Amino acid sequence: MARPERRTVRDIRRGNRAVLLHTLYFSGPTSRNDLTARTGLSAATVSTMTAGLLAENIVVEAGQVESDGGRPRVLLRVNPEYGFAVGVDMAETHVRVGLFDLEMTERAKVDYVLRPARHDPELVARHILSGVEVVLSDAGVSPEQVLGVGVGVPGIVEPGPDGVIHAKTFGWDGVPLGALLRRGTSLPLYVDNGAKTLGQAELWFGSGRGSSEAVIVLLGVGVGATIVADGTTFRGVSSSAGEWGHTKIVADGRPCRCGGRGCLEAYVGIEAILDRAGVASQGDWEEDLDRLLASESPVIQETVSYLGVGLANLVNLINPEKIVIGGWVGARLGERLLPGIRRATAANSLAEPYAATSIVLGRLGPDAVALGAATLVLEEFLNAPQVARITAAG
Amino acid sequence: MARPERRTVRDIRRGNRAVLLHTLYFSGPTSRNDLTARTGLSAATVSTMTAGLLAENIVVEAGQVESDGGRPRVLLRVNPEYGFAVGVDMAETHVRVGLFDLEMTERAKVDYVLRPARHDPELVARHILSGVEVVLSDAGVSPEQVLGVGVGVPGIVEPGPDGVIHAKTFGWDGVPLGALLRRGTSLPLYVDNGAKTLGQAELWFGSGRGSSEAVIVLLGVGVGATIVADGTTFRGVSSSAGEWGHTKIVADGRPCRCGGRGCLEAYVGIEAILDRAGVASQGDWEEDLDRLLASESPVIQETVSYLGVGLANLVNLINPEKIVIGGWVGARLGERLLPGIRRATAANSLAEPYAATSIVLGRLGPDAVALGAATLVLEEFLNAPQVARITAAG
DNA sequence: TCGTCTTCGTTCAGGCTGTGAAAGAAGGCG
DNA sequence: CGCCTTCTTTCACAGCCTGAACGAAGACGA
């Protein structure tokens, strides 16, 4: 029951502008002539529209290429310095703030360590706000040039303007991070779950590129998934879709830190893996995992099997074109065990959907959460490039 | 990475026409004046557009109501006899063909019994084609008046014009039912999975009405789900999304007829329920289930628990606004055990998404599959009402 | 050097679209 | 009969995309 919405002639312009910008952004330097072919718009429209974008400095010329004997084409591209996006990765142990230009090149970054069990919302908000100031001054970018600030956080983010967060592992239950930040800045804010921003990053710039039906899976301390349907992150009714880590794969199974039993995270989360292997961790999980992988422990094969069950459930239910395995645990497991993971998934999937799915590793490193958060800003920009810039008050 | 598409002024007209028709269809008799308020369109546009729809006989007048002293409003409604839709329920034991007017009132129907293990594609196609002829002549409707034929089938339907079907339980693997039917009729065809057409029916006319983020669950011999995202049935990359019955809830659990182990269907499908209870069925599963429900068997509670796990996985992963339990097994279980099902789901869900979800019973009976199939035709009609009707050749 | 050819880019008249304002229609009421 | 209220239609207008005509820019040969 898709209820369409009323449209007016103006929406057309806005929409076609977005089409043009998307094409320009993802096809790189492109001539007007190419643009007519790629967008399906008429040459006339492309001409007037690019003229506008050039006048606003959103698009710039990028040299010429000769054509077969005729007038050479002028290449156009999105001006990477038209504006900047801030991406924030707020994790359980640190806050990382990055400044990106429109090509998503990182221009500056800064880290703050969070002492465990010291997650005062006010403090975290101050870290983020001062982080924004630091990266801006480091890169010599003024606040007026910033199109927005994206923040990736653990836990569930309520929809709405206040960016209310529920993060059990954090001790946050109903913290309005968005509202706290807005007290200190007037830049547009985008708060989203970190697994979703990582998914956004892999979808736009990593292994998910080009897919419009995909699932990006995050394996780390927590386990989550970003479901992409028709090119857009699927959020569900209250923005908590994708809690894959707490789907049950063993009815009445191992207890999970969420309070439930038999959750996937209770088998393939890093704590669960080490626990099942009987490793008494000294705190450096990455080293522990590497050592475990190097050993011949049967726990590894078990982990692959459980992961296969979890992935197969996604294959059967979601029928994605691609599953991208991300997160640092995912990277390490996938590095050596990808064929086994694929086999385990196949063993638990129906043949048709499995055949339609390719399972690949994520391409982006640990910075992907911040990159994806910044990408939220980019997405907004490409969809509705402002003509009048919002003035930042600070 | 939602790639928007180019638009032209004409798309606006088409789109706004669809807006108007949707509103008219779901709000019942409505005045032009109301329509301006409900659609957001200007009075001028509503006026010219309704004039067109009236001229095409798509919309008809439906009386007047007086206004507070002024000119009375003329009520408009979609002409229920502008066209008709055929809905076909092709199940494991029968083929049912129904003729519906645009209000989805059934005008005629016909049943064909399929002898088990006698599922010759040609025969089934002939049943469907002759069924269409029968309902048309019974209702006195000519083929020119039929907007299309929707068919709900078991198994996976490949996307594409040939309506290729993979149905293990049927012995069909790659049967191009759409192509077979097209040899016998030139009416527009819509072939879809039966669980999805049932979902479509509940979404449009049953308990799911008004929800745009919902899951409609089918419990019967098979177990499946229709995932509705943003008002539209989610199909995945190869149209097999929603195979909920074969998601695993017990790693390495009971064997399932799909060849896998631990599938939800191997616990809450009717065969599994009876098998777990040790009932040696004489063939009448409905009676067997009723007897089992009347007994105090612990298998019932177990079933509720397993179902709760399966539903909780949907809650966590999809975060729907509503879960509708359909299918004849679902109806019988839900009738007495709905509170227990809700409790079992809550016990296995995260608090936030569970709080956002209401779990309700389906409202439509066994005819819902055919009704939903016809609704595929209706949906197409409301989105793009033809001006020039396609001529049927027969 | 000049004219021609090829290709790219821009301009312009024209047809659609939705809109606001003004005009028209239809009934109630004194 | 005239006025009032309310619903509906008409009309001039601005915005949009488009095809066709026109202009621009280089290659190339004479």
Side-chain angles (χ1 to χ4, degrees):
Chain A
M1 203 151 39
R3 295 194 165 281
E5 275 178 18
R6 137 193 128 106
R7 286 190 187 290
T8 169
V9 272
R10 237 111 167 200
D11 297 316
I12 292 196
R13 190 66 161 185
R14 224 193 330 274
N16 281 341
R17 220 171 125 111
V19 171
L20 211 59
L21 265 186
H22 265 86
T23 311
L24 226 29
Y25 190 86
F26 289 106
S27 306
T30 314
S31 72
R32 290 174 239 260
N33 213 327
D34 268 13
L35 286 173
T36 67
R38 286 177 196 264
T39 60
L41 292 164
S42 72
T45 303
V46 170
S47 180
T48 58
M49 206 127 61
T50 51
L53 291 168
L54 279 164
E56 292 172 47
N57 202 31
I58 292 176
V59 161
V60 291
E61 297 195 349
Q64 298 192 347
V65 290
E66 60 181 15
S67 57
D68 307 329
R71 174 176 174 175
R73 5 188 158 195
V74 176
L75 298 181
L76 302 174
R77 59 185 297 204
V78 175
N79 178 3
E81 304 222 337
Y82 173 75
F84 297 84
V86 176
V88 179
D89 173 10
M90 186 190 127
E92 309 202 358
T93 56
H94 66 267
V95 173
R96 177 170 299 154
V97 180
L99 178 73
F100 299 84
D101 64 24
L102 284 184
E103 283 184 328
M104 292 294 114
T105 304
E106 194 168 47
R107 296 298 193 90
K109 75 168 166 178
V110 60
D111 272 292
Y112 299 92
V113 174
L114 290 182
R115 287 202 306 278
R118 181 83 176 94
H119 291 156
D120 174 36
E122 298 276 355
L123 176 68
V124 171
R126 275 202 303 279
H127 277 330
I128 293 176
L129 289 170
S130 70
V132 172
E133 277 183 31
V134 169
V135 292
L136 286 181
S137 72
D138 279 6
V141 168
S142 76
E144 288 78 24
Q145 296 176 274
V146 176
L147 297 168
V149 178
V151 187
V153 303
I156 292 173
V157 180
E158 280 182 21
D162 284 346
V164 175
I165 299 173
H166 300 269
K168 272 232 176 76
T169 59
F170 235 71
W172 285 18
D173 191 17
V175 173
L177 183 69
L180 290 177
L181 291 175
R182 213 178 309 281
R183 290 214 302 252
T185 179
S186 61
L187 293 171
L189 291 172
Y190 305 84
V191 181
D192 203 351
N193 172 276
K196 289 206 180 66
T197 70
L198 178 128
Q200 179 89 353
E202 286 285 354
L203 181 69
W204 283 55
F205 303 107
S207 303
R209 192 157 180 175
S211 264
S212 63
E213 311 287 329
V215 179
I216 296 96
V217 144
L218 173 70
L219 297 173
V221 181
V223 173
T226 304
I227 300 169
V228 175
D230 199 19
T232 313
T233 301
F234 176 66
R235 295 194 142 72
V237 71
S238 59
S239 282
S240 76
E243 286 290 347
W244 182 55
H246 300 289
T247 59
K248 272 61 184 168
I249 58 163
V250 182
D252 247 339
R254 280 171 58 90
C256 175
R257 59 177 179 164
C258 77
R261 286 180 156 279
C263 298
L264 179 63
E265 189 174 304
Y267 292 88
V268 304
I270 183 61
E271 293 181 276
I273 295 174
L274 296 178
D275 185 44
R276 283 182 18 249
V279 174
S281 179
Q282 302 300 317
D284 189 342
W285 285 336
E286 310 203 8
E287 203 186 302
D288 296 336
L289 178 59
D290 284 338
R291 209 162 13 222
L292 185 63
L293 284 170
S295 78
E296 297 285 302
S297 167
V299 167
I300 301 300
Q301 273 315 310
E302 278 172 38
T303 304
V304 168
S305 296
Y306 287 125
L307 186 56
V309 170
L311 292 173
N313 285 354
L314 292 175
V315 168
N316 285 342
L317 199 59
I318 311 288
N319 181 215
E321 182 184 359
K322 197 179 274 184
I323 292 181
V324 179
I325 299 177
W328 67 268
V329 174
R332 276 182 165 71
L333 288 179
E335 206 178 353
R336 349 188 158 196
L337 302 168
L338 189 56
I341 292 172
R342 290 201 179 110
R343 275 195 303 275
T345 306
N348 291 290
S349 309
L350 296 176
E352 283 82 9
Y354 179 77
T357 306
S358 63
I359 300 177
V360 299
L361 293 183
R363 194 184 299 160
L364 306 174
D367 283 348
V369 174
L371 173 62
T375 306
L376 297 175
V377 178
L378 174 65
E379 181 173 21
E380 183 67 22
F381 169 72
L382 290 180
N383 283 339
Q386 281 95 1
V387 177
R389 301 288 303 285
I390 294 158
T391 315
Chain B
M1 204 149 40
R3 296 194 166 279
E5 275 178 17
R6 139 193 127 103
R7 287 192 185 290
T8 168
V9 273
R10 237 110 168 204
D11 297 315
I12 293 196
R13 190 67 160 190
R14 225 192 332 274
N16 282 341
R17 219 171 126 112
V19 171
L20 211 59
L21 264 186
H22 265 87
T23 311
L24 226 30
Y25 191 84
F26 289 107
S27 306
T30 313
S31 72
R32 289 176 240 263
N33 212 327
D34 268 12
L35 286 174
T36 68
R38 285 176 198 265
T39 61
L41 291 164
S42 72
T45 303
V46 170
S47 180
T48 57
M49 207 127 61
T50 51
L53 291 168
L54 279 163
E56 291 172 49
N57 201 31
I58 293 176
V59 161
V60 292
E61 296 195 350
Q64 298 192 347
V65 289
E66 61 181 15
S67 56
D68 307 329
R71 174 175 174 175
R73 7 187 158 197
V74 175
L75 298 180
L76 302 174
R77 60 185 296 204
V78 175
N79 178 2
E81 305 222 336
Y82 173 74
F84 297 83
V86 175
V88 179
D89 172 10
M90 184 190 128
E92 310 203 358
T93 56
H94 65 267
V95 173
R96 178 170 298 155
V97 180
L99 179 73
F100 300 84
D101 63 24
L102 284 185
E103 284 183 329
M104 293 294 115
T105 303
E106 194 168 48
R107 296 297 194 90
K109 74 169 167 180
V110 59
D111 271 291
Y112 299 92
V113 174
L114 290 183
R115 287 202 306 279
R118 181 81 176 99
H119 292 156
D120 173 36
E122 300 276 354
L123 176 68
V124 172
R126 275 202 303 278
H127 277 329
I128 293 175
L129 289 170
S130 70
V132 172
E133 275 182 34
V134 169
V135 292
L136 286 182
S137 72
D138 280 6
V141 168
S142 75
E144 289 77 24
Q145 296 176 274
V146 176
L147 297 168
V149 178
V151 187
V153 303
I156 292 173
V157 181
E158 279 182 24
D162 283 347
V164 175
I165 299 173
H166 301 269
K168 273 235 176 74
T169 58
F170 235 72
W172 285 18
D173 190 17
V175 172
L177 183 68
L180 289 178
L181 291 174
R182 213 177 311 281
R183 290 215 302 251
T185 179
S186 61
L187 293 170
L189 291 172
Y190 306 83
V191 181
D192 204 351
N193 172 277
K196 289 205 180 65
T197 69
L198 177 128
Q200 180 90 354
E202 286 285 354
L203 181 70
W204 282 57
F205 303 107
S207 303
R209 191 157 181 175
S211 264
S212 64
E213 310 287 328
V215 178
I216 296 96
V217 144
L218 173 71
L219 297 173
V221 181
V223 173
T226 304
I227 300 169
V228 175
D230 199 18
T232 312
T233 302
F234 176 68
R235 297 193 141 73
V237 70
S238 59
S239 284
S240 77
E243 285 291 347
W244 182 55
H246 300 289
T247 59
K248 273 60 184 169
I249 57 163
V250 181
D252 247 341
R254 281 171 58 90
C256 174
R257 60 177 179 164
C258 78
R261 287 181 156 276
C263 298
L264 179 63
E265 189 173 304
Y267 293 88
V268 304
I270 182 61
E271 293 182 274
I273 294 175
L274 297 177
D275 185 43
R276 284 183 15 251
V279 174
S281 178
Q282 303 300 319
D284 189 342
W285 287 336
E286 311 203 8
E287 201 187 303
D288 295 335
L289 179 59
D290 285 338
R291 206 160 17 219
L292 185 63
L293 284 170
S295 78
E296 297 284 304
S297 167
V299 167
I300 300 300
Q301 273 314 310
E302 278 171 40
T303 304
V304 169
S305 297
Y306 287 124
L307 186 56
V309 170
L311 292 173
N313 285 354
L314 291 175
V315 168
N316 285 341
L317 199 60
I318 311 289
N319 181 212
E321 182 185 357
K322 198 178 273 184
I323 293 180
V324 178
I325 299 177
W328 67 268
V329 174
R332 277 184 165 69
L333 288 179
E335 207 179 355
R336 344 189 162 195
L337 300 169
L338 189 56
I341 292 172
R342 290 199 179 113
R343 274 196 303 275
T345 306
N348 290 289
S349 309
L350 295 176
E352 285 82 9
Y354 180 76
T357 306
S358 62
I359 300 176
V360 299
L361 294 183
R363 193 185 302 160
L364 306 174
D367 283 347
V369 173
L371 173 63
T375 306
L376 297 175
V377 179
L378 174 65
E379 180 173 22
E380 184 67 22
F381 169 73
L382 290 180
N383 284 337
Q386 281 96 358
V387 177
R389 300 289 303 285
I390 295 160
T391 315

